[in-house]
Each structure stands twice: as C-alpha cells, then as structure tokens.
C-alpha cells in the first residue's frame, strides 16, 4: 500500500489512505474493504530498518537475473547524498536524533532536516537506486549538540575567554570533566591556561602563525610561521591510519610560559599545524595529539564510513560495476582506499585544490599542472551530445599512491568555446581518459534520481517521528521510481516517454474492473493503452 505513496501523488500517509479508499480497483486488488491510517502506521512500525534493507537486497538480486535489468561490469556504482527539509519538525527535533540544522545549497539557507546517503547504479541504457540510509550523528556529535543547547540557555557563545571559562566551570560543577580542552585564537593565553591548570584539565592548543616561541637550546625566538617550515625529515613520525605525520620540536617558552611544541602535517594536502601543550614527555604529547586527530576524523568520517557500508551492501546485492564515481566531498584518501577494498576496481572523483600532486618528483598545485599542459596533449571526445577535450598525467597523492589526473575542457556545441574546466582523479592509471570522463558523467544519474523522487514520488514527505516509518518511506519512494524506470526499460513503446508521463498517464490510466460470481477479478485496460503501448514485459505470463 505504501508503495503507492510515490505513484499516486500523495502528500502524506493520511492522503494515501484517502486515495486508496476512493479507488475501487485498488481496494479489491488489495483485498481491503476500508483502509485506516492507524493500520498503515501500525504496519510500518512493525518493519525495522534491517527488514527494509534485506528486502531491497533481495529485490536487487532479482533484477540481476534478467539481462535487461542486470548491472554490467562497465557500469558505474555512484554514491552521493541529499538533504530533506523538515521545518515543521523543529519543535520536536530533540525526539528525532537524526534531525539537525542543515544547509540547503539549492536555497542558500539553513533549515531543520536530515541527510540521506545512497548508492545508485547506471550504465548507458539504464539506472536505478540501490541502498540508502539516514545519516545519524555519532554519540559524540549528539553530546556536542546537547552541550550547545545548554550553552545557548546559559547565554554563552564561547566567543570570549570569559565564556569558555564559565562553561568549563559549569561542566566541572556537573561532574562532566572533559577528557581535554582545545584552545585556539584568543583563548590560547596565560589567564586561560591558569584556570585550566587549576581545574586539572588537560589542554592542547593550536598556535596562530604570528606567535613566537623560544625553543630550548636555540639562540633566538622564532615565529610559528617559521617553525612550521621545519624540514627535520628524520624526526617525522608517520600515522598512516590517520593520514598524518608528526614532528616533535620539544620544549619551548612563549607568552603562555613553558610549553612543548609538535607539528602535524596532513599527508594529502600538506597542511601543517603547530600544536602547543603543557610540559610533558614526547610519548604523552604524541598520544594526546593522536587522540585529537582521531576525534576530528571521526567527526568528518561518519558520513564517509556510512557510504562505504552502502557500497559494500551494493556489491553483496550483485552489482557488478567495477567503477565507482563520487563527488568532490568524498575526496579523502582513507575513504577511497576503503571503497577499493570493498571490491571496486577504480574510483573516479573530482580533484581538490588543497591537495599536493607530485609529478616526476615535483609537488604541484592543480593550477600549476594546468599551466604545464600543452594544447597538443588534449584530444576531442564526444559524450552524449556534448564535446570535450581531455588530457591526462600520472601523479602521486599522499595516502593513495600513483593516480591518473584527467584534465577536461567542456566545449560549447556551436563554437567549441571552453564552457568550464575540471580535473578528475582516477585511481586506475591504465583506464582510458575518455572512459574515466564517461564514468564520471554517468554520476549525474543519481542527481536526476533525487530530483525525480522529490518531485514525483513524495520523497521525505512523511510527518512521522518514528525512524522506521521515515526510512521506510524513503525506501519506497526510491522503489516507486525504480518501478517506473524498469517499466520504461521493459516496454519498447514507452522508451521515448518521460518518467513523469508514464506515471501520470500510463500508471494512472482509467481501467474497468469485473468481479465474477466467485470473486475472481478481471481488470480491463483501455484499448488505447494496449494498442499504443502494450503491457510491460513483467506482466506477461
């Protein structure tokens, strides 16, 4: 019944019940005399997220049995996220932990809602959704959200040292002593250190570039900006799991008194930070900085880890695509390594400007690499009805190793002027640049899918506060979209029709219902539908 939600233009589950109860054919086919909203909600709450995922897994495995709907090795497994606005739930957000403040890029404003991560399959002839999941913040993020709520009630915005001190004392009064406190900017001062030391709370600070420190054993003090340029290659400690390396500078004195200094460098981007800590051993300082980096990575990596899980589930459901395509937000070496370990042969993703790209032993930025490319290296290729110029270079990225950079100019149709330029990272250096571009362009299919389910399949329109109901509605919206896609694929005379037309005219055609004396049902389709389009392949016996 709920699958009809996306096919009948329903605006809520209550509206589904109204539509079903007004449709004699549906009520007879479903075997119900009258449908009630409570029945619908009761049935939905009996299904768990695991039930839905197992169901979708079986459904996708079934699609792989038909050569017309099966995935292919040359296809693309796409991963992306979308946002669902739930402004009307603002007052009840504390009862729905997956709801939070999100930024709606399409509307350029903040709103209350949640994020959905999903995977999608696409090749030249078809595409359909795979698995999806509502992103739920980690326990640490939930705790920070609750702390932010309390600070707002207390009128503390943490912009001043006094506010930081007041909040820290509040935590100590509530016996919620933090494992450590991070200081930076104006808070990295002697008075704040005195308070933190008196309360016996470990602290760690990130130094500003203009602060000066006098390293023990050195003649002159140096600014943090100069210290960050240190080359001490023999003293760097690699943290491969975190994608960082550390350099111990040792004891020093500054405006905060006696401290120890340690530099971190992000392996992929080369960004360095100077950490300031109270006097302690090298081992203790490295252990604390490592914990800080781990927590920061957990904050950023929750969404990425969820996507890795969805990719693994898609592979288990029989999706054969060897290529994964993601947008720039997933450009993280650790994420890419995990996705490749899940069974993909290659990953294609837009390059990020902040990364270092090593070509023939020399580190370059993307702008520098663009300038080094001669025009003769570009070849014109056609994808769809558009022309592109592509060129490629092999490069190394810390944390990924050797990759292929594919430089792309998109050309105008008439005058072949460059409309936009971008660079793709392909982890397979043997993969043809034109094939990498083709795979990345197929990534757009998931964006089209999101637009379809939001406009035509009631995606995210349930008012329920139960996670199972909300998740089930998302899954069934995707399923309604897949139903239309597969119908068009398996019905030759519908190939040139849009999904919207198929939904509004083909699926919503008026039919005649005949009920025999024994209760047997016969549905008589209108002649125009049978003569002009026929029934889908899956309806034939």
């Amino acid at each position: 019944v709920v699958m009809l939600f996306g096919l009948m233009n329903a605006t809520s589950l209550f509206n589904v019940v109204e539509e079903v109860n007004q449709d004699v054919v549906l009520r007879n086919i479903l075997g119900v005399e009258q449908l009630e909203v409570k029945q619908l909600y009761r049935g939905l709450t009996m299904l768990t997220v695991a039930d839905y995922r197992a169901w979708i897994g079986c459904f996708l495995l079934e699609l792989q049995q038909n050569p017309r709907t099966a995935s292919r090795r040359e296809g693309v497994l796409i991963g992306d996220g979308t946002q669902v606005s739930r402004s009307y739930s603002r007052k009840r957000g504390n009862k729905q932990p997956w709801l939070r403040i999100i930024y709606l890029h399409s509307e350029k404003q903040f709103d209350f809602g949640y994020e959905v991560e999903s995977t999608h399959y696409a090749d030249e002839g078809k595409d359909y959704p795979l698995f999806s999941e509502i992103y739920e913040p980690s326990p640490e993020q939930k705790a920070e959200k609750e702390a932010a709520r309390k600070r707002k009630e207390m009128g503390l915005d943490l912009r001043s040292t006094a506010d930081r001190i007041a909040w820290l004392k509040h935590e100590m009064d509530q016996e919620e002593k933090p494992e450590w406190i991070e200081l930076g900017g104006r808070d990295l001062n002697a008075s704040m250190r005195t308070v933190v030391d008196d309360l016996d709370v470990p602290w760690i600070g990130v130094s500003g570039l203009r602060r000066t420190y006098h390293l023990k054993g050195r003649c002159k003090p140096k600014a943090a900006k100069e210290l960050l340029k240190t080359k001490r290659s023999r003293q760097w400690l690699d943290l491969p799991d975190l994608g960082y390396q550390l350099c111990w500078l040792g004891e020093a004195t500054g405006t905060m008194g006696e401290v120890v200094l340690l530099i971190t460098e992000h392996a992929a981007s080369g960004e360095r930070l100077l950490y300031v800590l109270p006097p302690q051993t090298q081992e203790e300082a490295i252990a604390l900085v490592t914990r800080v980096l781990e927590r920061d990575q957990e904050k950023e990596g929750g969404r990425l880890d969820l996507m890795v899980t969805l990719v693994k589930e898609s592979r288990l459901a029989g999706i054969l695509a060897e290529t994964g395509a993601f947008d720039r937000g997933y450009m993280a070496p650790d994420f890419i390594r995990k996705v490749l370990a899940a069974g993909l042969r290659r990953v294609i993703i837009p390059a990020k400007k902040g990364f270092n790209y090593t070509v023939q032993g020399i580190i370059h930025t993307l702008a520098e690499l663009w300038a080094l490319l001669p025009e003769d290296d570009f070849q014109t290729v056609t994808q769809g009805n558009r022309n592109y110029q592509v060129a490629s270079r092999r490069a190394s990225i810390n944390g990924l190793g050797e990759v292929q950079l594919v430089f792309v100019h998109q050309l105008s149709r008439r005058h072949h002027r460059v409309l936009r330029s971008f660079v793709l990272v392909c982890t397979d250096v043997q993969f043809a640049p034109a094939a990498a571009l083709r795979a990345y362009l197929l990534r757009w299919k998931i964006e089209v899918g999101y637009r379809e389910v939001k406009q035509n399949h009631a995606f995210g329109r349930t008012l329920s506060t139960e996670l199972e109901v909300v998740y089930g509605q998302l899954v069934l919206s995707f399923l309604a979209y897949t139903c239309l896609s597969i119908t068009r694929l398996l019905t030759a005379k519908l190939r040139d029709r849009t999904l919207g037309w198929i939904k509004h005219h083909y699926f919503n055609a008026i039919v005649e219902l005949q009920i025999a004396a024994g209760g047997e049902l016969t549905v008589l389709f209108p002649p125009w539908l049978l003569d002009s389009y026929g029934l889908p392949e899956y309806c034939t016996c």
Side-chain angles (χ1 to χ4, degrees):
V1 171
V2 182
M3 186 177 71
L4 299 170
F5 190 97
L7 294 174
M8 299 179 67
N9 293 324
T11 57
S12 66
L13 289 178
F14 180 80
N15 189 213
V16 170
V17 172
E18 289 183 319
E19 295 290 339
V20 171
N21 286 335
Q22 292 175 11
D23 196 313
V24 180
V25 177
L26 279 177
R27 283 196 284 108
N28 278 275
I29 291 176
L30 296 171
V32 295
E33 293 185 3
Q34 198 74 9
L35 189 65
E36 295 182 2
V37 176
K38 290 183 179 180
Q39 285 179 289
L40 210 52
Y41 272 100
R42 194 178 302 119
L44 285 172
T45 54
M46 292 172 62
L47 290 170
T48 65
V49 171
D51 291 332
Y52 283 112
R53 293 167 85 103
W55 181 29
I56 294 300
C58 293
F59 172 71
L60 292 173
L61 282 170
E62 188 67 25
L63 286 182
Q64 308 314 305
Q65 306 309 309
N66 187 328
R68 302 271 299 281
T69 59
S71 60
R72 303 201 303 257
R73 296 186 186 280
E74 61 270 24
V76 180
L77 198 163
I78 310 161
D80 201 3
T82 190
Q83 298 169 316
V84 179
S85 175
R86 291 283 293 271
S87 301
Y88 48 82
S89 297
R90 184 178 297 275
K91 294 181 180 180
R92 296 182 290 177
N94 59 331
K95 298 179 181 179
Q96 304 169 69
W98 66 90
L99 287 175
R100 57 198 181 96
I101 300 297
I102 60 175
Y103 182 70
L104 300 174
H105 295 278
S106 58
E107 301 176 16
K108 306 298 182 185
Q109 67 180 26
F110 290 93
D111 203 350
F112 209 56
Y114 57 91
E115 295 183 68
V116 177
E117 296 289 314
S118 67
T119 49
H120 197 98
Y121 171 78
D123 57 37
E124 299 295 351
K126 59 185 173 296
D127 71 282
Y128 44 78
L130 303 176
F131 289 93
S132 61
E133 184 67 271
I134 296 174
Y135 172 64
E136 190 169 351
S138 66
E140 292 78 14
Q141 290 172 311
K142 293 178 184 177
E144 176 55 32
K145 179 181 177 181
E146 178 62 21
R149 185 186 65 80
K150 289 182 180 179
R151 288 195 295 267
K152 184 176 180 180
E153 292 178 353
M154 296 171 62
L156 304 175
D157 60 9
L158 304 188
R159 294 183 181 179
S160 66
T161 300
D163 277 7
R164 289 294 300 271
I165 293 174
W167 174 248
L168 180 59
K169 290 182 177 180
H170 170 78
E171 288 183 300
M172 300 297 288
D173 292 341
Q174 300 296 318
E175 298 182 355
E176 298 175 352
K177 180 181 178 180
E179 184 180 359
W180 70 80
I181 183 172
E182 295 183 50
L183 305 178
R186 298 177 181 177
D187 293 336
L188 194 60
N189 55 57
S191 61
M192 185 68 179
R193 175 180 180 175
T194 300
V195 173
V196 174
D197 287 344
D198 289 343
L199 293 174
D200 192 27
V201 177
W203 60 270
I204 181 171
V206 178
S207 176
L209 297 180
R210 296 182 180 180
R211 288 179 178 269
T212 58
Y213 301 90
H214 194 163
L215 288 174
K216 186 176 182 180
R218 298 295 182 91
C219 298
K220 297 180 180 180
K222 285 189 175 183
K225 186 176 181 179
E226 294 298 319
L227 292 174
L228 287 171
K229 296 178 181 178
T230 184
K231 294 183 179 179
R232 305 184 177 189
S233 57
R234 296 182 180 178
Q235 300 183 26
W236 286 97
L237 172 66
D238 292 330
L239 300 176
D241 291 342
L242 296 175
Y244 280 88
Q245 54 182 359
L246 310 179
C247 180
W248 170 256
L249 296 183
E251 299 177 7
T253 55
T255 56
M256 295 184 67
E258 295 184 355
V259 294
V260 294
L261 304 177
L262 188 152
I263 296 174
T264 66
E265 181 181 276
H266 189 260
S269 65
E271 180 185 10
R272 291 185 176 186
L273 294 176
L274 179 63
Y275 279 96
V276 184
L277 301 93
Q280 55 194 286
T281 66
Q282 180 176 348
E283 291 75 16
E284 291 172 335
I286 290 176
L288 178 55
V289 171
T290 301
R291 291 205 304 275
V292 171
L293 295 176
E294 287 174 341
R295 189 179 70 174
D296 291 344
Q297 195 170 82
E298 287 172 1
K299 289 180 180 178
E300 298 177 357
R303 190 172 63 92
L304 303 185
D305 289 339
L306 179 56
M307 180 57 70
V308 172
T309 300
L310 296 177
V311 169
K312 290 179 179 178
E313 289 188 347
S314 301
R315 298 289 294 177
L316 290 174
I319 302 302
L320 299 177
E322 296 181 338
T323 303
F326 305 88
D327 70 16
R328 188 175 282 104
Y330 297 88
M331 180 55 189
D334 183 58
F335 166 76
I336 294 174
R337 290 197 305 270
K338 290 178 180 179
V339 167
L340 292 172
L344 292 179
R345 187 171 180 177
R346 66 189 66 86
V347 167
I348 297 170
I349 197 165
K352 271 189 175 180
K353 291 183 179 179
F355 278 53
N356 289 330
Y357 302 92
T358 304
V359 179
Q360 296 180 349
I362 302 175
I363 296 177
H364 294 281
T365 64
L366 286 179
E368 291 170 343
L369 289 174
W370 272 112
L372 292 173
L373 282 173
E375 292 185 7
D376 294 343
D377 282 13
F378 285 90
Q379 296 181 346
T380 302
V381 298
T382 301
Q383 296 289 348
N385 58 353
R386 294 185 178 275
N387 292 325
Y388 299 85
Q389 289 180 336
V390 297
S392 67
R393 286 287 185 276
R394 290 191 181 186
S396 294
I397 298 177
N398 288 331
L400 279 181
E402 191 175 31
V403 300
Q404 178 183 187
L405 298 179
V406 180
F407 297 82
V408 182
H409 289 310
Q410 182 179 331
L411 306 178
S412 62
R413 296 178 182 177
R414 276 192 171 186
H415 305 291
H416 296 280
R417 290 178 299 185
V418 176
L419 296 178
R420 68 181 181 117
S421 301
F422 54 93
V423 184
L424 301 175
V425 173
C426 177
T427 58
D428 185 352
V429 295
Q430 302 296 332
F431 203 49
L437 174 61
R438 165 197 163 273
Y440 178 70
L441 294 177
L442 282 173
R443 196 201 71 81
W444 186 247
K445 294 289 187 179
I446 194 171
E447 304 289 359
V448 175
Y450 283 144
R451 183 185 64 198
E452 284 286 335
V453 294
K454 288 181 178 180
Q455 291 182 353
N456 296 318
H457 299 289
F459 185 83
R461 292 185 192 170
T462 178
L463 301 177
S464 176
T465 59
E466 298 290 334
L467 176 62
E468 290 77 12
V469 177
V470 174
Y471 180 79
Q473 191 57 67
L474 296 177
V475 169
L476 292 164
S477 294
F478 278 127
L479 187 60
Y481 166 72
T482 304
C483 181
L484 292 183
S485 299
I486 298 302
T487 298
R488 182 170 63 179
L489 181 67
L490 298 180
T491 311
K493 294 182 179 180
L494 289 176
R495 295 286 174 80
D496 61 343
R497 294 294 184 177
T498 66
L499 294 182
W501 188 95
I502 295 173
K503 172 186 172 181
H504 294 294
H505 296 84
Y506 193 76
F507 271 80
N508 288 313
I510 303 297
V511 300
E512 182 181 346
L513 179 68
Q514 291 183 351
I515 306 176
E520 201 173 290
L521 299 176
T522 302
V523 178
L524 301 178
F525 291 92
W528 69 264
L529 186 148
L530 296 176
D531 295 341
S532 301
Y533 302 101
L535 295 178
E537 183 180 298
Y538 57 76
C539 292
T540 58
C541 299

